[in-house]
Amino acid sequence: MTPSLHTVFFSPTGSSRKMAQETARALAQELAQNMALARGNDWNWTFPEGRAAAHTLGPEDVLVFAFPVYAGRIPQVLMEPLARLAGHGARAILLAVYGNRHYDDALLEAVDLFGANGFSVPAAGAFVAEHSMTAKVGAGRPDAEDMAAIADFARNAARIIASGESANVAVPGNRPYKALPPAADIRPQTLDSCTQCGLCASVCPMRVIDADNAAQVAQGCLRCCACVKICPEQAKYFDNPQVDKIVAMLESNCRERREPEVFFAAAGKM
Ligand SMILES: Cc1cc2nc3c(=O)[nH]c(=O)nc-3n(C[C@H](O)[C@H](O)[C@H](O)COP(=O)(O)O)c2cc1C
Ligand code: SF4
Ligand code: SF4
């Protein structure tokens, strides 16, 4: 079978998906000069059906994995599907997508996890997107500069893959990883202006919004804000002191532009 280039992404508000696909596009273009590699699948883990699948790769395959940083970590909802992803020597290119505060230990956690699952990780990067909880932080990101940096990152990653390098990249972060915040049952509210159009239920990655009554939200909300952002009536919102506190902190401390950071296993060889 021809080796393949696949993507996996979890992306409630779309930024990680966009970055995964641009990485795959530029990676495929560059790798085509050196090796036969078919463009494989885009495995969308945003919804439960996608996260239920198990994927096994082979030693010649390449995988691009992009995820949003939640509380400085990989979203916990990805731990089960990640445990079912078997590398068997495949290369993984990892993108931690964060909302202009910081990615903390998320990239290190991802490199460790993929290494433990049988992948080698020649390149990893942290890229900025608009913060899903407030459009005032990371506004307009990823912009044209970010997308150009992602294409550059992918081309450099392709050169390292083509060189046969099999070492794992070193990335910033600490072990043990940042402690997760205590679980809290926080759900979005719904204004009477809701028209029951069903859009919010269709984008909810946890399927906790009742498709027949959008005001009914079951336990398990991630606070990903996909429903808030998509609602054409601005009828979905969070009314919670914990959320308000985080948004206030972000808006006062995290508006200064942060730039993409990229890491390669063999920087000296490039
Ligand atoms: C629950 C939650 C926690 C988040 N934690 C962080 C964080 O620790 N650091 C940060 O910079 N951004 C954080 N963000 C922002 C997301 O990482 C950012 O908006 C991401 O780009 C969303 O990706 P997506 O568009 O693919 O869903 C958080 C967002 C949510 C919803
Ligand atoms: S997207 Fe907004 S208007 Fe549509 S069902 Fe959801 S809350 Fe109601
Ligand atoms: S209900 Fe929660 S998990 Fe579902 S889309 Fe809204 S914020 Fe995200």
Side-chain angles (χ1 to χ4, degrees):
M1 230 165 63
T2 318
S4 298
L5 167 62
H6 304 288
T7 68
V8 172
F9 49 83
F10 171 75
S11 190
T13 57
S15 308
S16 306
R17 176 186 196 136
K18 185 175 176 183
M19 295 189 198
Q21 289 179 333
E22 175 58 7
T23 304
R25 185 201 62 75
L27 200 57
Q29 197 175 46
E30 188 75 21
L31 280 173
Q33 299 174 23
N34 296 294
M35 55 202 272
L37 192 71
R39 182 65 175 86
N41 299 300
D42 288 321
W43 288 312
N44 185 351
W45 283 6
T46 308
F47 302 106
E49 314 82 71
R51 295 194 296 273
H55 303 296
T56 301
L57 289 92
E60 305 302 324
D61 292 331
V62 178
L63 179 74
V64 173
F65 174 63
F67 65 97
V69 174
Y70 283 181
R73 300 282 303 272
I74 297 175
Q76 286 299 294
V77 67
L78 298 183
M79 288 306 167
E80 271 189 40
L82 281 170
R84 288 193 294 268
L85 188 64
H88 298 290
R91 316 298 176 87
I93 308 299
L94 307 180
L95 287 82
V97 180
Y98 71 104
N100 204 59
R101 184 191 66 74
H102 206 280
Y103 56 95
D104 298 318
D105 303 330
L107 198 55
L108 178 65
E109 186 180 16
V111 173
D112 286 350
L113 215 144
F114 274 77
N117 282 7
F119 289 85
S120 72
V121 184
F127 297 94
V128 177
E130 180 175 296
H131 203 294
S132 21
M133 297 171 90
T134 164
K136 292 181 183 158
V137 174
R141 310 286 296 275
D143 57 17
E145 271 178 56
D146 291 313
M147 296 313 285
I150 286 170
D152 245 14
F153 164 70
R155 283 189 286 268
N156 286 331
R159 281 176 215 131
I160 294 178
I161 291 171
S163 79
E165 174 66 51
S166 61
N168 276 353
V169 63
V171 298
N174 296 299
R175 299 185 195 93
Y177 313 129
K178 192 174 177 181
L180 291 168
D185 183 7
I186 300 173
R187 313 177 196 187
Q189 310 290 310
T190 312
L191 294 172
D192 289 345
S193 54
C194 167
T195 60
Q196 299 295 348
C197 71
L199 271 177
C200 55
S202 74
V203 298
C204 175
M206 303 307 285
R207 298 277 190 246
V208 290
I209 302 177
D210 189 324
D212 298 320
N213 178 5
Q216 287 285 346
V217 181
Q219 195 170 0
C221 169
L222 295 176
R223 279 167 275 154
C224 73
C225 298
C227 57
V228 175
K229 287 192 165 218
I230 202 147
C231 177
E233 307 298 330
Q234 283 84 50
K236 279 263 179 249
Y237 67 103
F238 282 95
D239 177 16
N240 177 278
Q242 206 175 311
V243 173
D244 292 348
K245 199 171 149 195
I246 296 170
V247 169
M249 179 281 290
L250 290 167
E251 291 182 355
S252 40
N253 302 341
C254 304
R255 293 213 203 193
E256 194 177 323
R257 182 184 176 94
R258 293 182 61 92
E259 296 299 341
E261 291 174 58
V262 295
F263 308 94
F264 301 103
K269 287 190 195 166
M270 282 168 44

